Amino acid sequence: MQNASVFILMSVLLIILPGPDTGLATQNTLAAGKKGGFKTVLGGATGLMIHTLAVTLGLSSILVKSAFLFSIFKYVGALYLIYLGISALWSMRKKPDAQDEAPTSSYKHKSHFLQGFLTNLLNPKVAVFFLTFLPQFVKPGEATFWQFLALGLTYTVLTVIWFFFYVHFINWIRAWMKKPSTQRVIQGMTGIALLGFGVKLALEKQP
């Protein structure tokens, strides 16, 4: 691996940019607390590791070069994000007099890990990002397999570290938001954001 410090700096800057994983982690932390947020983050990290292995083994290049496969992943991923957004908005349906119950019951039996996992796994832009970003830090003439693996693992660990603090922060805010109406507003905002990311992904053209 070359320019390790530059890679870490660039990775951190890219990780903190808001994306579908940020919206989902926010939504699930507000709905289910730190436990839901951490499960979402671990699911997303697992998805990143699969993309890392795919890049390392050369499978992602096939996805990027095939318009058909790229479109399948793009639309399935977009539909899943749109589904999550609609689910968040749908969970806002509450009678105004239901003040004693926060709008979190609809998330009680949902798999937050699976949501985070599928959000990253079904996003072809992650594969494109890994294929264009990671090779810039691979040293020519050495074992590329282990270099790609190390870069992908480093990026995943940095992602988990950032979201560890992010989930704690969101949970701290959640502790001050006792009114169900306030939680519904925030949940609605994250739902709209997830819908927006889904539509944006669906309209994305193949690179």
Side-chain angles (χ1 to χ4, degrees), residues 127-156:
V128 174
F129 164 75
F130 271 41
L131 276 176
T132 56
F133 181 64
L134 298 188
Q136 301 178 45
F137 301 93
V138 172
K139 190 174 182 179
E142 296 186 5
T144 57
F145 178 90
W146 297 111
Q147 290 187 73
F148 273 121
L149 196 61
L151 289 168
L153 181 61
T154 301
Y155 186 88
T156 302

PDB file of all heavy atoms in Angstrom, residues 127-156:
ATOM      1  N   ALA A 127     -19.429  -0.510  -5.704  1.00  0.00           N
ATOM      2  CA  ALA A 127     -18.467  -1.292  -6.490  1.00  0.00           C
ATOM      3  C   ALA A 127     -17.652  -0.380  -7.400  1.00  0.00           C
ATOM      4  O   ALA A 127     -16.430  -0.536  -7.523  1.00  0.00           O
ATOM      5  CB  ALA A 127     -19.208  -2.342  -7.316  1.00  0.00           C
ATOM      6  N   VAL A 128     -18.330   0.568  -8.038  1.00  0.00           N
ATOM      7  CA  VAL A 128     -17.641   1.521  -8.922  1.00  0.00           C
ATOM      8  C   VAL A 128     -16.643   2.346  -8.123  1.00  0.00           C
ATOM      9  O   VAL A 128     -15.502   2.576  -8.550  1.00  0.00           O
ATOM     10  CB  VAL A 128     -18.655   2.441  -9.624  1.00  0.00           C
ATOM     11  CG1 VAL A 128     -17.934   3.523 -10.419  1.00  0.00           C
ATOM     12  CG2 VAL A 128     -19.561   1.634 -10.540  1.00  0.00           C
ATOM     13  N   PHE A 129     -17.065   2.779  -6.934  1.00  0.00           N
ATOM     14  CA  PHE A 129     -16.188   3.582  -6.075  1.00  0.00           C
ATOM     15  C   PHE A 129     -14.936   2.795  -5.700  1.00  0.00           C
ATOM     16  O   PHE A 129     -13.816   3.304  -5.802  1.00  0.00           O
ATOM     17  CB  PHE A 129     -16.945   3.998  -4.819  1.00  0.00           C
ATOM     18  CG  PHE A 129     -16.052   4.493  -3.711  1.00  0.00           C
ATOM     19  CD1 PHE A 129     -15.477   5.748  -3.784  1.00  0.00           C
ATOM     20  CD2 PHE A 129     -15.785   3.701  -2.605  1.00  0.00           C
ATOM     21  CE1 PHE A 129     -14.628   6.206  -2.771  1.00  0.00           C
ATOM     22  CE2 PHE A 129     -14.954   4.138  -1.596  1.00  0.00           C
ATOM     23  CZ  PHE A 129     -14.390   5.394  -1.680  1.00  0.00           C
ATOM     24  N   PHE A 130     -15.095   1.548  -5.289  1.00  0.00           N
ATOM     25  CA  PHE A 130     -13.952   0.733  -4.892  1.00  0.00           C
ATOM     26  C   PHE A 130     -13.006   0.495  -6.068  1.00  0.00           C
ATOM     27  O   PHE A 130     -11.789   0.480  -5.898  1.00  0.00           O
ATOM     28  CB  PHE A 130     -14.434  -0.602  -4.319  1.00  0.00           C
ATOM     29  CG  PHE A 130     -14.692  -0.561  -2.840  1.00  0.00           C
ATOM     30  CD1 PHE A 130     -15.314   0.522  -2.260  1.00  0.00           C
ATOM     31  CD2 PHE A 130     -14.301  -1.607  -2.022  1.00  0.00           C
ATOM     32  CE1 PHE A 130     -15.553   0.575  -0.906  1.00  0.00           C
ATOM     33  CE2 PHE A 130     -14.529  -1.577  -0.655  1.00  0.00           C
ATOM     34  CZ  PHE A 130     -15.162  -0.476  -0.089  1.00  0.00           C
ATOM     35  N   LEU A 131     -13.582   0.301  -7.258  1.00  0.00           N
ATOM     36  CA  LEU A 131     -12.750   0.041  -8.438  1.00  0.00           C
ATOM     37  C   LEU A 131     -11.954   1.264  -8.867  1.00  0.00           C
ATOM     38  O   LEU A 131     -10.878   1.148  -9.448  1.00  0.00           O
ATOM     39  CB  LEU A 131     -13.613  -0.445  -9.601  1.00  0.00           C
ATOM     40  CG  LEU A 131     -13.926  -1.944  -9.632  1.00  0.00           C
ATOM     41  CD1 LEU A 131     -14.871  -2.256 -10.771  1.00  0.00           C
ATOM     42  CD2 LEU A 131     -12.650  -2.759  -9.774  1.00  0.00           C
ATOM     43  N   THR A 132     -12.492   2.449  -8.627  1.00  0.00           N
ATOM     44  CA  THR A 132     -11.814   3.676  -9.056  1.00  0.00           C
ATOM     45  C   THR A 132     -10.952   4.286  -7.954  1.00  0.00           C
ATOM     46  O   THR A 132      -9.962   4.964  -8.242  1.00  0.00           O
ATOM     47  CB  THR A 132     -12.841   4.724  -9.520  1.00  0.00           C
ATOM     48  OG1 THR A 132     -13.786   4.968  -8.460  1.00  0.00           O
ATOM     49  CG2 THR A 132     -13.599   4.237 -10.740  1.00  0.00           C
ATOM     50  N   PHE A 133     -11.317   4.032  -6.706  1.00  0.00           N
ATOM     51  CA  PHE A 133     -10.623   4.664  -5.578  1.00  0.00           C
ATOM     52  C   PHE A 133      -9.445   3.826  -5.085  1.00  0.00           C
ATOM     53  O   PHE A 133      -8.330   4.334  -4.927  1.00  0.00           O
ATOM     54  CB  PHE A 133     -11.629   4.907  -4.440  1.00  0.00           C
ATOM     55  CG  PHE A 133     -11.034   5.586  -3.235  1.00  0.00           C
ATOM     56  CD1 PHE A 133     -10.519   6.876  -3.317  1.00  0.00           C
ATOM     57  CD2 PHE A 133     -10.990   4.939  -2.009  1.00  0.00           C
ATOM     58  CE1 PHE A 133      -9.973   7.509  -2.206  1.00  0.00           C
ATOM     59  CE2 PHE A 133     -10.453   5.556  -0.891  1.00  0.00           C
ATOM     60  CZ  PHE A 133      -9.944   6.847  -0.997  1.00  0.00           C
ATOM     61  N   LEU A 134      -9.684   2.558  -4.836  1.00  0.00           N
ATOM     62  CA  LEU A 134      -8.642   1.706  -4.255  1.00  0.00           C
ATOM     63  C   LEU A 134      -7.398   1.549  -5.130  1.00  0.00           C
ATOM     64  O   LEU A 134      -6.274   1.594  -4.611  1.00  0.00           O
ATOM     65  CB  LEU A 134      -9.217   0.327  -3.907  1.00  0.00           C
ATOM     66  CG  LEU A 134     -10.333   0.281  -2.865  1.00  0.00           C
ATOM     67  CD1 LEU A 134     -10.658  -1.169  -2.495  1.00  0.00           C
ATOM     68  CD2 LEU A 134      -9.974   1.074  -1.609  1.00  0.00           C
ATOM     69  N   PRO A 135      -7.548   1.364  -6.468  1.00  0.00           N
ATOM     70  CA  PRO A 135      -6.345   1.151  -7.295  1.00  0.00           C
ATOM     71  C   PRO A 135      -5.346   2.304  -7.248  1.00  0.00           C
ATOM     72  O   PRO A 135      -4.155   2.099  -7.529  1.00  0.00           O
ATOM     73  CB  PRO A 135      -6.924   0.997  -8.711  1.00  0.00           C
ATOM     74  CG  PRO A 135      -8.294   0.480  -8.497  1.00  0.00           C
ATOM     75  CD  PRO A 135      -8.775   1.169  -7.259  1.00  0.00           C
ATOM     76  N   GLN A 136      -5.794   3.496  -6.898  1.00  0.00           N
ATOM     77  CA  GLN A 136      -4.888   4.643  -6.837  1.00  0.00           C
ATOM     78  C   GLN A 136      -3.844   4.489  -5.733  1.00  0.00           C
ATOM     79  O   GLN A 136      -2.821   5.172  -5.739  1.00  0.00           O
ATOM     80  CB  GLN A 136      -5.684   5.930  -6.610  1.00  0.00           C
ATOM     81  CG  GLN A 136      -6.712   6.219  -7.692  1.00  0.00           C
ATOM     82  CD  GLN A 136      -7.494   7.477  -7.393  1.00  0.00           C
ATOM     83  OE1 GLN A 136      -6.927   8.505  -7.009  1.00  0.00           O
ATOM     84  NE2 GLN A 136      -8.806   7.417  -7.565  1.00  0.00           N
ATOM     85  N   PHE A 137      -4.101   3.593  -4.787  1.00  0.00           N
ATOM     86  CA  PHE A 137      -3.201   3.432  -3.644  1.00  0.00           C
ATOM     87  C   PHE A 137      -2.529   2.060  -3.627  1.00  0.00           C
ATOM     88  O   PHE A 137      -1.929   1.673  -2.624  1.00  0.00           O
ATOM     89  CB  PHE A 137      -3.978   3.651  -2.344  1.00  0.00           C
ATOM     90  CG  PHE A 137      -4.617   5.001  -2.258  1.00  0.00           C
ATOM     91  CD1 PHE A 137      -5.931   5.186  -2.676  1.00  0.00           C
ATOM     92  CD2 PHE A 137      -3.898   6.100  -1.801  1.00  0.00           C
ATOM     93  CE1 PHE A 137      -6.520   6.435  -2.609  1.00  0.00           C
ATOM     94  CE2 PHE A 137      -4.481   7.354  -1.732  1.00  0.00           C
ATOM     95  CZ  PHE A 137      -5.792   7.523  -2.145  1.00  0.00           C
ATOM     96  N   VAL A 138      -2.636   1.352  -4.746  1.00  0.00           N
ATOM     97  CA  VAL A 138      -1.978   0.049  -4.867  1.00  0.00           C
ATOM     98  C   VAL A 138      -0.601   0.239  -5.485  1.00  0.00           C
ATOM     99  O   VAL A 138      -0.461   0.886  -6.526  1.00  0.00           O
ATOM    100  CB  VAL A 138      -2.826  -0.915  -5.730  1.00  0.00           C
ATOM    101  CG1 VAL A 138      -2.046  -2.194  -6.016  1.00  0.00           C
ATOM    102  CG2 VAL A 138      -4.130  -1.233  -5.023  1.00  0.00           C
ATOM    103  N   LYS A 139       0.405  -0.328  -4.851  1.00  0.00           N
ATOM    104  CA  LYS A 139       1.770  -0.214  -5.343  1.00  0.00           C
ATOM    105  C   LYS A 139       2.010  -1.235  -6.450  1.00  0.00           C
ATOM    106  O   LYS A 139       1.867  -2.441  -6.230  1.00  0.00           O
ATOM    107  CB  LYS A 139       2.755  -0.434  -4.197  1.00  0.00           C
ATOM    108  CG  LYS A 139       4.198  -0.093  -4.554  1.00  0.00           C
ATOM    109  CD  LYS A 139       5.088  -0.193  -3.330  1.00  0.00           C
ATOM    110  CE  LYS A 139       6.523   0.197  -3.660  1.00  0.00           C
ATOM    111  NZ  LYS A 139       7.400   0.115  -2.472  1.00  0.00           N
ATOM    112  N   PRO A 140       2.385  -0.764  -7.645  1.00  0.00           N
ATOM    113  CA  PRO A 140       2.599  -1.690  -8.770  1.00  0.00           C
ATOM    114  C   PRO A 140       3.748  -2.662  -8.490  1.00  0.00           C
ATOM    115  O   PRO A 140       4.696  -2.343  -7.784  1.00  0.00           O
ATOM    116  CB  PRO A 140       2.958  -0.742  -9.926  1.00  0.00           C
ATOM    117  CG  PRO A 140       2.439   0.597  -9.513  1.00  0.00           C
ATOM    118  CD  PRO A 140       2.570   0.639  -8.021  1.00  0.00           C
ATOM    119  N   GLY A 141       3.613  -3.842  -9.052  1.00  0.00           N
ATOM    120  CA  GLY A 141       4.689  -4.818  -8.945  1.00  0.00           C
ATOM    121  C   GLY A 141       4.653  -5.674  -7.702  1.00  0.00           C
ATOM    122  O   GLY A 141       5.483  -6.557  -7.533  1.00  0.00           O
ATOM    123  N   GLU A 142       3.699  -5.411  -6.802  1.00  0.00           N
ATOM    124  CA  GLU A 142       3.587  -6.222  -5.591  1.00  0.00           C
ATOM    125  C   GLU A 142       2.256  -6.963  -5.597  1.00  0.00           C
ATOM    126  O   GLU A 142       1.418  -6.748  -6.472  1.00  0.00           O
ATOM    127  CB  GLU A 142       3.726  -5.334  -4.347  1.00  0.00           C
ATOM    128  CG  GLU A 142       5.092  -4.671  -4.232  1.00  0.00           C
ATOM    129  CD  GLU A 142       5.264  -3.923  -2.930  1.00  0.00           C
ATOM    130  OE1 GLU A 142       4.353  -4.000  -2.078  1.00  0.00           O
ATOM    131  OE2 GLU A 142       6.307  -3.259  -2.770  1.00  0.00           O
ATOM    132  N   ALA A 143       2.058  -7.807  -4.619  1.00  0.00           N
ATOM    133  CA  ALA A 143       0.851  -8.637  -4.548  1.00  0.00           C
ATOM    134  C   ALA A 143      -0.385  -7.754  -4.419  1.00  0.00           C
ATOM    135  O   ALA A 143      -0.666  -7.212  -3.346  1.00  0.00           O
ATOM    136  CB  ALA A 143       0.952  -9.592  -3.372  1.00  0.00           C
ATOM    137  N   THR A 144      -1.122  -7.597  -5.509  1.00  0.00           N
ATOM    138  CA  THR A 144      -2.293  -6.699  -5.500  1.00  0.00           C
ATOM    139  C   THR A 144      -3.432  -7.259  -4.658  1.00  0.00           C
ATOM    140  O   THR A 144      -4.222  -6.493  -4.095  1.00  0.00           O
ATOM    141  CB  THR A 144      -2.794  -6.463  -6.931  1.00  0.00           C
ATOM    142  OG1 THR A 144      -3.100  -7.724  -7.541  1.00  0.00           O
ATOM    143  CG2 THR A 144      -1.740  -5.750  -7.754  1.00  0.00           C
ATOM    144  N   PHE A 145      -3.529  -8.582  -4.567  1.00  0.00           N
ATOM    145  CA  PHE A 145      -4.618  -9.190  -3.794  1.00  0.00           C
ATOM    146  C   PHE A 145      -4.599  -8.691  -2.358  1.00  0.00           C
ATOM    147  O   PHE A 145      -5.618  -8.229  -1.822  1.00  0.00           O
ATOM    148  CB  PHE A 145      -4.490 -10.721  -3.826  1.00  0.00           C
ATOM    149  CG  PHE A 145      -5.543 -11.433  -3.016  1.00  0.00           C
ATOM    150  CD1 PHE A 145      -6.742 -11.808  -3.591  1.00  0.00           C
ATOM    151  CD2 PHE A 145      -5.326 -11.720  -1.670  1.00  0.00           C
ATOM    152  CE1 PHE A 145      -7.715 -12.462  -2.844  1.00  0.00           C
ATOM    153  CE2 PHE A 145      -6.291 -12.367  -0.920  1.00  0.00           C
ATOM    154  CZ  PHE A 145      -7.484 -12.744  -1.512  1.00  0.00           C
ATOM    155  N   TRP A 146      -3.435  -8.792  -1.715  1.00  0.00           N
ATOM    156  CA  TRP A 146      -3.336  -8.396  -0.312  1.00  0.00           C
ATOM    157  C   TRP A 146      -3.429  -6.891  -0.140  1.00  0.00           C
ATOM    158  O   TRP A 146      -3.926  -6.406   0.878  1.00  0.00           O
ATOM    159  CB  TRP A 146      -2.042  -8.930   0.286  1.00  0.00           C
ATOM    160  CG  TRP A 146      -1.984 -10.423   0.296  1.00  0.00           C
ATOM    161  CD1 TRP A 146      -1.175 -11.220  -0.454  1.00  0.00           C
ATOM    162  CD2 TRP A 146      -2.796 -11.299   1.076  1.00  0.00           C
ATOM    163  NE1 TRP A 146      -1.421 -12.550  -0.194  1.00  0.00           N
ATOM    164  CE2 TRP A 146      -2.420 -12.631   0.746  1.00  0.00           C
ATOM    165  CE3 TRP A 146      -3.808 -11.097   2.020  1.00  0.00           C
ATOM    166  CZ2 TRP A 146      -3.025 -13.736   1.329  1.00  0.00           C
ATOM    167  CZ3 TRP A 146      -4.413 -12.211   2.597  1.00  0.00           C
ATOM    168  CH2 TRP A 146      -4.018 -13.508   2.255  1.00  0.00           C
ATOM    169  N   GLN A 147      -2.961  -6.147  -1.140  1.00  0.00           N
ATOM    170  CA  GLN A 147      -3.078  -4.695  -1.059  1.00  0.00           C
ATOM    171  C   GLN A 147      -4.540  -4.252  -1.122  1.00  0.00           C
ATOM    172  O   GLN A 147      -4.994  -3.414  -0.332  1.00  0.00           O
ATOM    173  CB  GLN A 147      -2.288  -4.030  -2.193  1.00  0.00           C
ATOM    174  CG  GLN A 147      -0.782  -4.138  -2.057  1.00  0.00           C
ATOM    175  CD  GLN A 147      -0.057  -3.324  -3.092  1.00  0.00           C
ATOM    176  OE1 GLN A 147      -0.017  -2.099  -3.029  1.00  0.00           O
ATOM    177  NE2 GLN A 147       0.518  -4.001  -4.083  1.00  0.00           N
ATOM    178  N   PHE A 148      -5.288  -4.812  -2.078  1.00  0.00           N
ATOM    179  CA  PHE A 148      -6.707  -4.487  -2.182  1.00  0.00           C
ATOM    180  C   PHE A 148      -7.448  -4.885  -0.903  1.00  0.00           C
ATOM    181  O   PHE A 148      -8.307  -4.148  -0.407  1.00  0.00           O
ATOM    182  CB  PHE A 148      -7.335  -5.206  -3.382  1.00  0.00           C
ATOM    183  CG  PHE A 148      -7.225  -4.443  -4.667  1.00  0.00           C
ATOM    184  CD1 PHE A 148      -6.575  -4.991  -5.762  1.00  0.00           C
ATOM    185  CD2 PHE A 148      -7.794  -3.180  -4.792  1.00  0.00           C
ATOM    186  CE1 PHE A 148      -6.477  -4.290  -6.949  1.00  0.00           C
ATOM    187  CE2 PHE A 148      -7.700  -2.471  -5.983  1.00  0.00           C
ATOM    188  CZ  PHE A 148      -7.038  -3.023  -7.061  1.00  0.00           C
ATOM    189  N   LEU A 149      -7.106  -6.055  -0.386  1.00  0.00           N
ATOM    190  CA  LEU A 149      -7.756  -6.543   0.831  1.00  0.00           C
ATOM    191  C   LEU A 149      -7.467  -5.614   2.011  1.00  0.00           C
ATOM    192  O   LEU A 149      -8.371  -5.284   2.794  1.00  0.00           O
ATOM    193  CB  LEU A 149      -7.269  -7.960   1.139  1.00  0.00           C
ATOM    194  CG  LEU A 149      -8.098  -8.770   2.143  1.00  0.00           C
ATOM    195  CD1 LEU A 149      -9.517  -8.960   1.628  1.00  0.00           C
ATOM    196  CD2 LEU A 149      -7.436 -10.114   2.409  1.00  0.00           C
ATOM    197  N   ALA A 150      -6.215  -5.175   2.127  1.00  0.00           N
ATOM    198  CA  ALA A 150      -5.835  -4.282   3.221  1.00  0.00           C
ATOM    199  C   ALA A 150      -6.526  -2.924   3.094  1.00  0.00           C
ATOM    200  O   ALA A 150      -7.001  -2.357   4.083  1.00  0.00           O
ATOM    201  CB  ALA A 150      -4.320  -4.099   3.242  1.00  0.00           C
ATOM    202  N   LEU A 151      -6.606  -2.410   1.867  1.00  0.00           N
ATOM    203  CA  LEU A 151      -7.260  -1.122   1.638  1.00  0.00           C
ATOM    204  C   LEU A 151      -8.747  -1.197   1.959  1.00  0.00           C
ATOM    205  O   LEU A 151      -9.300  -0.312   2.625  1.00  0.00           O
ATOM    206  CB  LEU A 151      -7.053  -0.687   0.186  1.00  0.00           C
ATOM    207  CG  LEU A 151      -5.640  -0.248  -0.202  1.00  0.00           C
ATOM    208  CD1 LEU A 151      -5.512  -0.139  -1.718  1.00  0.00           C
ATOM    209  CD2 LEU A 151      -5.283   1.083   0.461  1.00  0.00           C
ATOM    210  N   GLY A 152      -9.387  -2.253   1.469  1.00  0.00           N
ATOM    211  CA  GLY A 152     -10.815  -2.409   1.731  1.00  0.00           C
ATOM    212  C   GLY A 152     -11.116  -2.592   3.200  1.00  0.00           C
ATOM    213  O   GLY A 152     -12.079  -2.027   3.735  1.00  0.00           O
ATOM    214  N   LEU A 153     -10.278  -3.373   3.885  1.00  0.00           N
ATOM    215  CA  LEU A 153     -10.457  -3.586   5.317  1.00  0.00           C
ATOM    216  C   LEU A 153     -10.254  -2.290   6.091  1.00  0.00           C
ATOM    217  O   LEU A 153     -11.010  -1.985   7.020  1.00  0.00           O
ATOM    218  CB  LEU A 153      -9.477  -4.659   5.804  1.00  0.00           C
ATOM    219  CG  LEU A 153      -9.560  -5.023   7.291  1.00  0.00           C
ATOM    220  CD1 LEU A 153     -10.938  -5.565   7.632  1.00  0.00           C
ATOM    221  CD2 LEU A 153      -8.483  -6.045   7.660  1.00  0.00           C
ATOM    222  N   THR A 154      -9.231  -1.524   5.698  1.00  0.00           N
ATOM    223  CA  THR A 154      -8.979  -0.233   6.353  1.00  0.00           C
ATOM    224  C   THR A 154     -10.167   0.706   6.179  1.00  0.00           C
ATOM    225  O   THR A 154     -10.607   1.362   7.135  1.00  0.00           O
ATOM    226  CB  THR A 154      -7.711   0.419   5.770  1.00  0.00           C
ATOM    227  OG1 THR A 154      -6.600  -0.443   5.969  1.00  0.00           O
ATOM    228  CG2 THR A 154      -7.437   1.758   6.452  1.00  0.00           C
ATOM    229  N   TYR A 155     -10.688   0.769   4.958  1.00  0.00           N
ATOM    230  CA  TYR A 155     -11.839   1.635   4.687  1.00  0.00           C
ATOM    231  C   TYR A 155     -13.047   1.199   5.516  1.00  0.00           C
ATOM    232  O   TYR A 155     -13.769   2.040   6.075  1.00  0.00           O
ATOM    233  CB  TYR A 155     -12.182   1.599   3.199  1.00  0.00           C
ATOM    234  CG  TYR A 155     -13.263   2.570   2.803  1.00  0.00           C
ATOM    235  CD1 TYR A 155     -12.942   3.878   2.440  1.00  0.00           C
ATOM    236  CD2 TYR A 155     -14.600   2.183   2.793  1.00  0.00           C
ATOM    237  CE1 TYR A 155     -13.925   4.775   2.082  1.00  0.00           C
ATOM    238  CE2 TYR A 155     -15.594   3.076   2.445  1.00  0.00           C
ATOM    239  CZ  TYR A 155     -15.256   4.370   2.083  1.00  0.00           C
ATOM    240  OH  TYR A 155     -16.246   5.265   1.740  1.00  0.00           O
ATOM    241  N   THR A 156     -13.253  -0.114   5.629  1.00  0.00           N
ATOM    242  CA  THR A 156     -14.385  -0.623   6.397  1.00  0.00           C
ATOM    243  C   THR A 156     -14.232  -0.306   7.882  1.00  0.00           C
ATOM    244  O   THR A 156     -15.201   0.106   8.541  1.00  0.00           O
ATOM    245  CB  THR A 156     -14.513  -2.151   6.204  1.00  0.00           C
ATOM    246  OG1 THR A 156     -14.673  -2.437   4.810  1.00  0.00           O
ATOM    247  CG2 THR A 156     -15.708  -2.693   6.960  1.00  0.00           C
TER     248      THR A 156
END
